[in-house]
Amino acid sequence: RNSWKSAHRDLNPNACTSTNNAYDISLLEYNDQHHFSDIPDKTLADVVESLLAVAFIEGRRCLYDHMDGCMVIGILEELRLPLPDLDGKDLQFGWPYFRAIGKNPCLSRGYLFELDKSWQKEFVKLGTILYCESKIISNLEQNWRNLIETLEKMGCSTDLKRKLETQVSKVLLICAIFDDNLDELSDTDEDTGADESLAQNESSAVLNESENEEETETELEGLYRVAIFRDTLYYVGHYALYLYVTERIFHKFPLATAGDMHLLRTCASNDDVLCYIFCKAGFHEVLYDRDADAIIQFRYKMMLADSEGSELWKQNGGWVYGITEFRNRIGVADAVPRYAGLAGGRILGHRTKVPEEFTADLMFSCKALVGALVLSLGVDAMGSCLGSMFDELFLLSPEELRSEYQEISNICKTYKRG
């Protein structure tokens, strides 16, 4: 692309003729009083991103929760980004970009689907599709209950659990854990039973309001619609996770350089690490296709790495720098390190990334789950539910990561301090 430059910059005062109108003359006068120069796109992007970062950090320090994130929203509003379907959805009408409808942004609450008519209709369709697949939904509902129990064990509060048990959150979470590739599923299931009638009855009230509206979108058949929605959950989870991890790094390591932050973020959220901690927390057990070959093979690699890492830790007194130092850093007197199989953002024994055939589906499921939690609860509450998974990943400083692992992890060798 061409670098940005002022529309006035190349005006030549000598080019002004009698045919110039008053507008041309005013531009020339403005040009005489101001200096314009080419500014590369990257420079402008860096300035905007830095401004957004300052607004985000300062918003976090605000005494009023309802203002948390609103400065960022205000800047994004002013940018008038070319996003689709946002006519009338601006600050004036209470529908700012990138946040839930209402006063609070997505940091402190989930998206208010009940106030968005188009999403109401979509959830009715998703719920109907799922409950028409009686054999599948019975499995998914049990896995959903197991998921709630797992989140409780990780620190999910009673209040958050109650929110996750609402119908919309249930559909979000069920879609997130439905990781089947659909290869063996037919487009229709004749054995729908009573579930189909129940789902259709629940949907009729919402659909009656808009039954006369034309359906302009291309209809997606059956469970493929659920799969497409799962892609949306992944997309939300991917960027929400980056925001969450980066904010934790910023506060944990205030003197970290840009290179340090890249190193720390990569060591805490690359595909291998996410799959590893996802399985360590037991989330692979709640997936629909939990017995997939890729999951089994990745867990075997985990087992080998954990065995090797545990032996190395024993030689150092129970952790990289000994068990006493581990407990001091994590702040729990009887804590035991869990991630023996990780080494500088890699699975121990793998200096480079584990092949995607073993990690792609697990990583996708992890981020889809994060996306479902963000849309249900907000970014902060997602962190409350899953934050304990990441605690152990932030115990080593950038310098310690490079010192300990640069010979066995290409990540620690790649990201320098600058």
Side-chain angles (χ1 to χ4, degrees):
R1 293 182 302 167
N2 294 326
S3 294
W4 177 91
K5 61 182 179 181
S6 168
H8 312 311
R9 176 182 170 277
D10 292 327
L11 287 176
N12 182 359
N14 297 325
C16 184
T17 66
S18 58
T19 59
N20 290 132
N21 57 29
Y23 177 74
D24 295 324
I25 295 172
S26 67
L27 291 182
L28 293 174
E29 292 175 349
Y30 186 83
N31 189 47
D32 289 338
Q33 302 172 23
H34 297 79
H35 173 70
F36 299 98
S37 60
D38 287 343
I39 302 177
D41 286 352
K42 185 178 185 307
T43 301
L44 279 176
D46 288 345
V47 170
V48 173
E49 289 175 2
S50 298
L51 182 61
L52 290 170
V54 172
F56 175 78
I57 293 167
E58 287 301 309
R60 286 302 219 184
R61 297 168 57 185
C62 184
L63 296 178
Y64 304 99
D65 289 341
H66 70 276
M67 291 299 293
D68 192 0
C70 288
M71 285 192 286
V72 175
I73 300 301
I75 294 173
L76 293 173
E77 284 286 343
E78 290 301 317
L79 293 178
R80 300 294 177 186
L81 299 178
L83 299 178
D85 304 323
L86 287 174
D87 292 340
K89 296 183 179 181
D90 56 28
L91 196 60
Q92 180 180 357
F93 297 101
W95 282 42
Y97 306 163
F98 313 114
R99 69 165 168 173
I101 303 168
K103 296 180 179 179
N104 297 78
C106 63
L107 297 172
S108 55
R109 72 182 305 168
Y111 190 79
L112 299 181
F113 291 101
E114 62 270 23
L115 300 183
D116 192 320
K117 190 174 182 180
S118 61
W119 272 113
Q120 277 188 328
K121 292 172 63 178
E122 183 64 21
F123 271 94
V124 168
K125 293 173 185 176
L126 291 169
T128 301
I129 290 168
L130 288 167
Y131 279 90
C132 283
E133 300 283 351
S134 57
K135 295 178 181 178
I136 292 175
I137 195 61
S138 60
N139 184 317
L140 287 172
E141 284 199 317
Q142 181 58 52
N143 288 3
W144 169 76
R145 286 189 284 271
N146 294 340
L147 171 61
I148 299 297
E149 290 179 4
T150 301
L151 290 170
E152 274 191 291
K153 293 176 182 177
M154 296 182 64
C156 179
S157 68
T158 302
D159 182 52
L160 293 180
K161 177 189 173 186
R162 191 179 303 114
K163 293 179 181 178
L164 292 176
E165 290 173 338
T166 63
Q167 193 60 33
V168 168
S169 292
K170 183 177 181 180
V171 171
L172 286 167
L173 293 172
I174 283 178
C175 288
I177 62 177
F178 182 55
D179 63 329
D180 194 88
N181 58 22
L182 305 182
D183 286 346
E184 298 179 0
L185 293 176
S186 60
D187 289 339
T188 59
D189 185 350
E190 296 179 0
D191 184 19
T192 58
D195 291 328
E196 179 176 6
S197 299
L198 176 61
Q200 291 176 341
N201 288 337
E202 290 177 348
S203 67
S204 61
V206 175
L207 290 179
N208 284 341
E209 293 184 10
S210 54
E211 60 185 357
N212 294 325
E213 296 179 5
E214 289 188 20
E215 183 66 62
T216 57
E217 63 180 289
T218 301
E219 286 293 337
L220 297 168
E221 296 296 330
L223 291 170
Y224 290 99
R225 192 180 196 103
V226 177
I228 293 299
F229 177 66
R230 194 166 182 261
D231 289 348
T232 301
L233 295 179
Y234 163 84
Y235 191 81
V236 173
H238 176 79
Y239 289 102
L241 195 59
Y242 268 19
L243 176 63
Y244 171 76
V245 169
T246 303
E247 185 183 11
R248 285 195 64 169
I249 292 170
F250 174 80
H251 291 293
K252 177 76 173 181
F253 302 98
L255 300 180
T257 65
D260 290 340
M261 294 190 75
H262 276 296
L263 171 63
L264 291 163
R265 191 189 70 179
T266 304
C267 286
S269 60
N270 70 67
D271 293 357
D272 293 359
V273 170
L274 290 179
C275 292
Y276 181 93
I277 65 176
F278 188 74
C279 290
K280 278 288 187 177
F283 287 120
H284 66 289
E285 295 288 354
V286 304
L287 297 177
Y288 180 81
D289 198 15
R290 56 187 174 275
D291 295 323
D293 288 343
I295 296 178
I296 293 173
Q297 292 183 54
F298 182 78
R299 294 193 65 222
Y300 178 70
K301 293 178 183 297
M302 285 178 57
M303 181 186 69
L304 294 178
D306 284 343
S307 177
E308 182 180 351
S310 296
E311 289 300 318
L312 292 174
W313 280 4
K314 285 180 182 178
Q315 298 173 19
N316 295 323
W319 188 58
V320 183
Y321 298 122
I323 190 65
T324 302
E325 181 64 18
F326 172 83
R327 289 170 177 170
N328 288 337
R329 294 190 184 196
I330 207 164
V332 180
D334 58 349
V336 177
R338 297 176 294 164
Y339 299 161
L342 290 181
R346 292 300 183 209
I347 305 299
L348 192 59
H350 297 263
R351 187 174 184 278
T352 58
K353 187 181 185 304
V354 172
E356 286 190 3
E357 61 188 277
F358 303 115
T359 61
D361 290 342
L362 271 172
M363 176 273 298
F364 196 99
S365 296
C366 177
K367 293 183 178 180
L369 174 59
V370 172
L373 290 172
V374 168
L375 292 174
S376 296
L377 307 172
V379 176
D380 291 342
M382 177 277 293
S384 297
C385 291
L386 302 181
S388 60
M389 283 201 311
F390 294 89
D391 291 346
E392 196 170 322
L393 301 177
F394 298 121
L395 296 184
L396 297 180
S397 70
E399 293 78 10
E400 290 170 334
L401 285 169
R402 295 186 184 102
S403 173
E404 295 294 329
Y405 300 119
Q406 65 176 339
E407 298 303 323
I408 58 177
S409 166
N410 65 338
I411 296 174
C412 297
K413 193 168 186 177
T414 299
Y415 291 107
K416 307 300 182 183
R417 177 166 172 74

